[in-house]
Amino acid sequence: MKYVVIEKPGDVQIKEREKPQRKKGEVLLKMIYGGLCGSDLGTYKGTFIYASYPRIPGHEFSAMIEEIDEADAGKYALSTGMIVTALPYFNCGHCFSCEHGYENCCMSNETMGAQRDGAFCEYIVMPAEHVFDGKGLSPLTLAMVEPFCISYHAMQKAAIKKGERVLIIGGGPIGLLGLLAARLMGAEVTVADVVEQKLQKALDIGASHVISLKDGDFSQSVKEITNGDGFDVCVEAAGVPDAFINAIDSATFHGRVIVVGVSSRKADFTYSYLQKKELTVSGSRNALGRDFISLIDLLRQNKEIEACVTSLVTDEIPFQDAKLAFSKSVDPSQCVIKTILRF
């Protein structure tokens, strides 16, 4: 079978190896679609904090079940030929986090495409318990479920209430999917970014306001939108220090700040702002199996949200052209929001 591998920063290759053999309790999957995550792009650029090489990227995907044990099929309501997606995070099961039900932030977490090889292969094997029935959703939609889960999990951490003002800094896929999740919770959402096309997409899928970080006065825009009060919830979804500082500055007194972006860089800020404003600052990492189940059901029932989710896909490229897909996705002039590889 063929697979995609990043040998070193900037070096994407298509190689061949034997089709994997599944073990007891595992499912053999034939890949259909794989989405390029920001972490995959960071591995390609050499900027991702968890990257090591060589690395097979990919943890956002849809696939067809090719082989499964009869016992697992009954236990997990799966079957041969079913179109599925899967939880790509592997936890140890015995650390403090795992023992307290926080498997998403396992102290030894290994995410596919990051700390272990990922899904960008024609065939992969997965533990049956990680695989979720797509319940009739299209393979393209299912390939977008994992990033939607990341955003949904972050918005749940924020405990958003109906009518609250939410600022999302970063108009990439996680930020835009966060916009959809916050909308579902009844929030009035503002998105900030430097790319005009991303701001337009935010408006297209339901943002109440957008702020250009390229032009204009950011703090003045925040004041105008919130009548000088600041936002109830600020979400850092860009993975850059300035976005975190803007989130702290833009939050109202007694507000909440959620950090979902990933960066290896340091932020320099006056930490007494946290005390002065009595801010609650939380990180958000990965997602839980129940997030996948909830969102699959939600997307089946809410076709408007499903259409918004799939509208974020700007490029669909054969996996054999993965080198082009990666280079195009990191080129600012291309204005790519989400690239999907077709297997």
Side-chain angles (χ1 to χ4, degrees):
M1 69 165 190
K2 292 183 172 64
Y3 65 98
V4 179
V5 62
I6 302 174
E7 290 288 345
K8 58 185 178 182
D11 183 10
V12 176
Q13 297 185 27
I14 305 297
K15 293 191 171 184
E16 290 195 37
R17 67 181 183 187
E18 292 297 314
K19 183 176 174 180
Q21 300 297 311
R22 68 182 181 89
K23 301 173 184 175
K24 182 178 176 59
E26 292 182 333
V27 179
L28 178 65
L29 301 176
K30 179 177 174 56
M31 285 286 292
I32 302 175
Y33 285 117
L36 269 61
C37 176
S39 61
D40 298 321
L41 300 179
T43 300
Y44 173 71
K45 292 187 293 183
T47 59
F48 184 44
I49 191 171
Y50 303 123
S52 60
Y53 304 88
R55 177 63 69 214
I56 298 173
H59 55 259
E60 309 171 0
F61 62 91
S62 59
M64 183 182 73
I65 295 178
E66 186 151 294
E67 293 178 9
I68 184 171
D69 290 332
E70 185 175 344
D72 288 329
K75 182 176 181 179
Y76 299 108
L78 302 171
S79 61
T80 302
M82 181 180 284
I83 308 301
V84 299
T85 189
L87 183 83
Y89 327 114
F90 288 75
N91 63 296
C92 70
H94 54 74
C95 70
F96 179 89
S97 297
C98 290
E99 288 182 348
H100 287 77
Y102 310 125
E103 297 93 347
N104 59 299
C105 54
C106 168
M107 296 167 71
S108 302
N109 173 76
E110 292 187 357
T111 297
M112 294 173 66
Q115 296 91 350
R116 63 164 58 198
D117 279 338
F120 287 178
C121 311
E122 290 185 289
Y123 294 90
I124 61 170
V125 292
M126 291 289 292
E129 63 186 3
H130 282 225
V131 179
F132 299 103
D133 178 5
K135 297 183 179 179
L137 289 175
S138 73
L140 184 62
T141 298
L142 288 171
M144 293 292 289
V145 165
E146 192 275 345
F148 198 7
C149 284
I150 296 291
S151 302
Y152 184 77
H153 183 79
M155 298 305 135
Q156 286 184 312
K157 289 274 291 184
I160 293 169
K161 304 177 185 67
K162 185 176 181 179
E164 286 191 316
R165 296 188 182 107
V166 173
L167 171 65
I168 298 174
I169 304 174
I174 298 302
L176 293 173
L177 290 166
L179 155 62
L180 294 176
R183 270 188 55 204
L184 288 165
M185 297 172 186
E188 176 187 292
V189 187
T190 297
V191 175
D193 200 275
V194 296
V195 180
E196 185 61 35
Q197 288 86 344
K198 292 179 179 179
L199 297 178
Q200 184 57 55
K201 175 55 73 173
L203 291 171
D204 292 343
I205 63 173
S208 299
H209 308 277
V210 295
I211 301 174
S212 173
L213 296 173
K214 186 176 182 181
D215 304 304
D217 187 328
F218 175 75
S219 60
Q220 183 60 33
S221 296
V222 171
K223 289 178 182 178
E224 291 174 358
I225 293 168
T226 66
N227 299 315
D229 295 330
F231 288 91
D232 300 289
V233 175
C234 293
V235 181
E236 189 287 294
V240 295
D242 284 349
F244 174 71
I245 294 168
N246 282 339
I248 297 294
D249 290 342
S250 304
T252 190
F253 280 60
H254 200 69
R256 288 100 73 200
V257 175
I258 302 295
V259 179
V260 67
V262 178
S263 176
S264 59
R265 291 185 282 169
K266 295 180 180 180
D268 184 5
F269 72 104
T270 304
Y271 69 86
S272 290
Y273 286 163
L274 306 182
Q275 178 271 335
K276 180 181 179 180
K277 288 186 169 184
E278 199 178 55
L279 297 178
T280 299
V281 181
S282 300
S284 181
R285 187 178 188 188
N286 298 335
L288 294 162
R290 61 175 176 265
D291 298 321
F292 282 73
I293 294 168
S294 295
L295 285 183
I296 288 171
D297 287 338
L298 184 151
L299 289 166
R300 289 178 64 226
Q301 297 162 11
N302 194 323
K303 294 303 178 184
E304 185 260 331
I305 293 295
E306 182 187 10
C308 288
V309 168
T310 56
S311 77
L312 303 186
V313 178
T314 47
D315 293 81
E316 182 181 319
I317 297 174
F319 83 93
Q320 296 91 339
D321 295 325
K323 187 172 184 177
L324 169 65
F326 275 88
S327 64
K328 186 176 180 182
S329 295
V330 300
D331 182 352
S333 69
Q334 298 295 315
C335 300
V336 171
I337 296 177
K338 171 63 74 175
T339 298
I340 295 283
L341 295 183
R342 183 175 64 252
F343 284 80

